[in-house]
Amino acid sequence: MSDTNILPADKLFLPQPIIDDAVLAALKEDLGRAGDITTLATIPADAHAKAVIAARDEGVISGIPMAESAFRQIGVWHGEAVSFTPMIADGTEVKAGDVVAEIYGPARLVLSAERIALNFMCHMSGVATATHKMVKLIKGTKAKVTGTRKTLPGLRAFEKYAVKCGGGSNHRFGLDDAILIKDNHIAVAGSITEAIRRSRDFAGHLVRVEVEVDTIEQLKEAIACKPDVIMLDNMGPEKLAEALALLEGTGIISEASGGVSPATIAAIAKTGVDYISAGYITHSAPNFDLGLDISVS
């Protein structure tokens, strides 16, 4: 390991056991019952290799801790050390050709851990890059891009971390850390007023209550109930501006959602909304192109 910080202090903290558990499960899935039979068949047991992970496009890097874990754990598994040296920290902007990390160790182990390391990094760097592009599109406004719960099962913590690496912020992490009253909750509860009343009675004083509305009439009812946050769902810029005028001076945080993409986010941000929640940055982020280039020593 180098002195390069692979878990930047200003990003979401990922406990090492969570990283290692996810990476180990991925290694076990890939290696199956018999291990990497292609590498075992073609690579001598005493061969060593130097390798670099390099960017093949412009973007923002995320997932270095996962790559480090993959090479470290496969080394521990086989009783041999694999050296992983990050050249940059997560959250760094790169261009094609920039070296992200250097690896050295038994060639068989480097090859067997390669795909798992890259799978995590390419996906997470894709999320970070998509987030960063959205953040740049709304520069100069007060709006903040925030991720949602539209994440891959089992990978939410990593995708939330990648959003932070890209300069975004995080919405709630799960169903247990904030109350978000949506249309189906309102339908069953009977009204926005009743749903918010029940939420206030149920929640502790530290739990925020957010309610989703999609009409001006619903917004007026919600404002009267004084939730902490109001989500303005699927409102175009003109309707958003009307809604924000009603929210002015209430102290209620505003959030826009629905149909958020690189093509629409600038117009949404210009309305003066506080937050813009975008499922796009996790569920539709393109994979970032990283490659591992190897040489035998």
Side-chain angles (χ1 to χ4, degrees), residues 30-278:
D30 208 24
L31 291 165
R33 296 166 298 176
D36 180 359
I37 60 174
T38 305
T39 294
L40 291 172
T42 60
I43 305 300
D46 61 351
H48 278 64
K50 294 178 180 179
V52 296
I53 295 176
R56 292 175 176 168
D57 201 352
E58 293 184 357
V60 176
I61 295 300
S62 182
I64 292 175
M66 289 73 207
E68 184 278 331
S69 178
F71 291 109
R72 170 173 45 80
Q73 290 200 85
I74 203 165
V76 171
W77 197 343
H78 290 82
E80 299 185 76
V82 179
S83 169
F84 180 91
T85 306
M87 297 291 104
I88 60 173
D90 276 350
T92 303
E93 291 186 62
V94 295
K95 61 183 183 299
D98 285 351
V99 174
V100 176
E102 295 179 349
I103 302 104
Y104 178 78
R108 285 182 171 182
L109 303 186
V110 173
L111 286 165
S112 294
E114 171 188 0
R115 177 44 50 199
I116 297 306
L118 289 179
N119 280 354
F120 276 105
M121 284 200 68
C122 289
H123 175 60
M124 293 174 65
S125 297
V127 171
T129 298
T131 303
H132 185 62
K133 288 178 179 178
M134 299 279 257
V135 169
K136 288 198 295 184
L137 286 169
I138 63 171
K139 187 177 180 180
T141 71
K142 72 172 185 176
K144 295 182 179 180
V145 179
T146 183
T148 71
R149 284 172 48 245
K150 294 177 181 177
T151 55
L152 288 170
L155 294 181
R156 181 171 297 168
F158 305 134
E159 293 180 350
K160 292 280 193 179
Y161 169 83
V163 166
K164 291 284 286 182
C165 288
S169 63
N170 286 147
H171 209 277
R172 59 179 179 163
F173 272 70
L175 296 173
D176 61 345
D177 61 344
I179 290 177
L180 174 48
I181 303 165
K182 298 178 74 69
D183 54 354
N184 287 330
H185 299 106
I186 294 166
V188 176
S191 70
I192 288 173
T193 302
E194 183 62 14
I196 294 176
R197 185 193 66 77
R198 293 179 185 178
S199 296
R200 291 295 190 199
D201 288 345
F202 179 87
H205 68 287
L206 295 180
V207 178
R208 280 189 168 181
V209 175
E210 179 173 9
V211 63
E212 175 189 85
V213 303
D214 54 22
T215 69
I216 296 300
E217 291 71 26
Q218 287 182 328
L219 173 61
K220 291 176 179 178
E221 182 183 354
I223 290 173
C225 300
K226 299 181 180 179
D228 300 296
V229 188
I230 294 181
M231 178 185 290
L232 305 165
D233 191 43
N234 284 304
M235 294 186 180
E238 289 186 9
K239 197 172 181 181
L240 269 175
E242 181 183 355
L244 291 170
L246 292 172
L247 280 167
E248 190 172 353
T250 64
I252 298 171
I253 295 169
S254 61
E255 176 186 338
S257 69
V260 179
S261 71
T264 64
I265 193 168
I268 294 170
K270 287 176 183 177
T271 64
V273 71
D274 296 314
Y275 288 89
I276 303 174
S277 54

